Amino acid sequence: MEKYKVGIIGATGMVGQRFITLLSKHPWFRISVLAASSKSAGKNYIDALSGRWAMSSSIPDEVKNMPVLDAETEAEKVAAAADFVFCAINLDKIKTRALEEKYAVLECPVISCNSACRGLPDVPMIIPEINPEHAEIIPVQRRRLGTKRGFIAVKSNCSIQSYVPALHPLIKFGLTKTLVCTYQAISGAGKNFDTWPEMKDNIIPYISGEEEKSEYEPLKIWGKIKGNQIINAAYPLITTQCLRVPVSDGHTAAIFASFEHVPNEHEIKKLWESFEGEPQRLNLPSAPAQFIQYFEEPDRPQPMLDCNFEHGMGISVGRLRRDRIYDYKFICLSHNTIRGAAGGAILLAELLAAKGYFE
């Protein structure tokens, strides 16, 4: 097949860099244009980074000398050079929504890692294994925007992708309430220990906006399309606390869950290990062969050992046990800049490509 031409908006940031590494040898997608803020625009990619390359692998040769365009003032040029764009630019929500809608109106589909459009009732927020059917709202959004081809689809917040996949197969038992505490890596803030030395030997018990997103977004993921909008699910009731911890990569979550019909441990583990979604059935290039793995060892999963499971696209679970207040408690882990950000967005783009939304 002829590869889709792909643009990356926010190409110099941490998530943008992760897009670069994951797309450099992608079988369906080819990087055709890079864009960022005005501070980086007008330079070649390697010069725009100015020593800020944070990935373990080298900058791919094919993008080193690619010019970086201004994502805002040169939007028409970026849109003309791409079949669709990934957006991971760091702007405030008002500017981000305006920018993403601008590209959509230019008839360039946007796959976004940002939160600005996640709450819009006609913008699908998709974890491909869980709610691929939400893509069916795209024609409604196109009517609102007045487009034939352009639209916005978003991936969910990085932290909920560690635990929502583990809770999803258990919905059938009547999941009524869940308490979640997340322990989030510093790469989720676009930083490493060189750029954020204050995080060494430290925990920050606050991440702006994270708890609100963690409580709202799963309900949209589990919602249903009714008429011209996605209606959020009413249950489960969700309460969260989100902490930044001194870990390079990998968001860990401690989950407590209660059910109307309490399953046994064997049923839960069997559902986790056998769970697959549309990406696995379609054999999409970035889909993990095994979506969820379970550890019997009491000290797993661990970010250092397990966040790269299935090339960073799988979910690791452990320590399932009964609880005295809730029915069960367990631990989840995902790679926050791969499954939780760039990799999850790429898998979403593969799903939309397979279903013809870029045609």
Side-chain angles (χ1 to χ4, degrees):
M1 64 177 288
E2 184 175 347
K3 290 188 177 184
Y4 289 93
K5 296 179 294 182
V6 175
I8 303 173
I9 301 173
T12 57
M14 181 78 77
V15 176
Q17 293 177 32
R18 183 66 74 182
F19 273 120
I20 295 285
T21 62
L22 295 177
L23 290 170
S24 65
K25 298 186 185 302
H26 195 280
W28 292 8
F29 304 149
R30 174 178 63 84
I31 300 171
S32 62
V33 61
L34 303 176
S37 68
S38 58
K39 293 184 293 184
S40 298
K43 303 173 184 177
N44 288 343
Y45 186 66
I46 193 168
D47 297 324
L49 285 172
S50 186
R52 292 184 290 122
W53 182 254
M55 302 292 105
S56 58
S57 58
S58 301
I59 303 174
D61 290 337
E62 62 266 29
V63 301
K64 282 182 179 178
N65 296 310
M66 190 175 286
V68 178
L69 303 184
D70 188 309
E72 296 180 270
T73 64
E74 296 182 284
E76 291 84 357
K77 189 174 180 180
V78 176
D83 295 316
F84 68 92
V85 294
F86 293 109
C87 188
I89 199 164
N90 185 20
L91 299 172
D92 66 47
K93 285 192 174 184
I94 294 174
K95 289 183 177 180
T96 299
R97 176 177 172 179
L99 184 67
E100 292 181 348
E101 290 192 347
K102 182 177 184 177
Y103 276 89
V105 170
L106 288 168
E107 300 292 3
C108 184
V110 178
I111 310 301
S112 176
C113 288
N114 301 307
S115 63
C117 294
R118 289 179 192 160
L120 300 181
D122 62 2
V123 172
M125 178 171 62
I126 297 173
I127 297 177
E129 285 89 351
I130 295 176
N131 61 327
E133 71 280 1
H134 281 196
E136 295 169 15
I137 200 73
I138 288 173
V140 173
Q141 185 194 147
R142 282 174 168 158
R143 289 196 293 272
R144 172 174 65 85
L145 296 173
T147 62
K148 294 181 179 179
R149 187 172 176 275
F151 65 88
I152 302 164
V154 297
K155 55 153 287 298
S156 67
N157 187 43
C158 54
S159 65
I160 78 166
Q161 298 195 55
S162 63
Y163 60 88
V164 167
L167 289 171
H168 182 69
L170 310 182
I171 292 283
K172 61 187 286 186
F173 298 111
L175 179 63
T176 57
K177 63 180 180 179
T178 180
L179 181 154
V180 180
C181 294
T182 61
Y183 306 88
Q184 301 184 204
I186 61 174
S187 57
K191 299 179 181 180
N192 55 37
F193 287 114
D194 291 333
T195 58
W196 203 0
E198 298 85 357
M199 275 305 303
K200 294 178 179 178
D201 298 321
N202 194 24
I203 287 175
I204 298 177
Y206 173 71
I207 305 173
S208 179
E210 201 76 6
E211 288 160 3
E212 294 84 351
K213 288 182 280 189
S214 297
E215 294 174 359
Y216 161 82
E217 291 187 14
L219 298 178
K220 184 173 183 180
I221 294 290
W222 289 319
K224 303 292 183 184
I225 296 176
K226 294 184 179 179
N228 292 334
Q229 59 185 326
I230 298 168
I231 303 295
N232 289 6
Y235 288 93
L237 303 176
I238 304 172
T239 185
T240 65
Q241 289 202 108
C242 301
L243 294 77
R244 189 73 69 190
V245 296
V247 171
S248 296
D249 295 303
H251 285 355
T252 301
I255 296 93
F256 300 78
S258 289
F259 304 89
E260 290 179 356
H261 310 287
V262 182
N264 62 50
E265 291 187 22
H266 175 74
E267 287 178 296
I268 294 174
K269 292 176 184 177
K270 185 176 180 180
L271 283 170
W272 281 339
E273 296 190 333
S274 64
F275 179 47
E276 65 173 21
E278 203 153 351
Q280 287 72 35
R281 292 188 286 271
L282 293 173
N283 197 28
L284 299 179
S286 299
Q290 183 177 350
F291 186 30
I292 301 173
Q293 67 171 341
Y294 182 80
F295 287 100
E296 295 291 350
E297 298 90 333
D299 60 350
R300 301 281 286 277
Q302 298 178 25
M304 186 177 291
L305 299 176
D306 304 311
C307 77
N308 286 309
F309 168 60
E310 289 282 7
H311 307 289
M313 290 296 289
I315 310 300
S316 297
V317 187
R319 298 206 70 206
L320 175 68
R321 59 219 189 275
R322 294 301 298 264
D323 185 69
R324 289 182 295 174
I325 299 174
Y326 289 75
D327 291 322
Y328 280 102
K329 52 190 172 186
F330 50 92
I331 303 294
C332 294
L333 170 71
S334 64
H335 196 301
N336 54 294
T337 66
I338 301 182
R339 166 56 77 162
I346 291 169
L347 184 61
L348 171 53
E350 292 168 0
L351 176 72
L352 296 174
K355 291 183 171 294
Y357 284 98
F358 297 143
E359 301 305 321

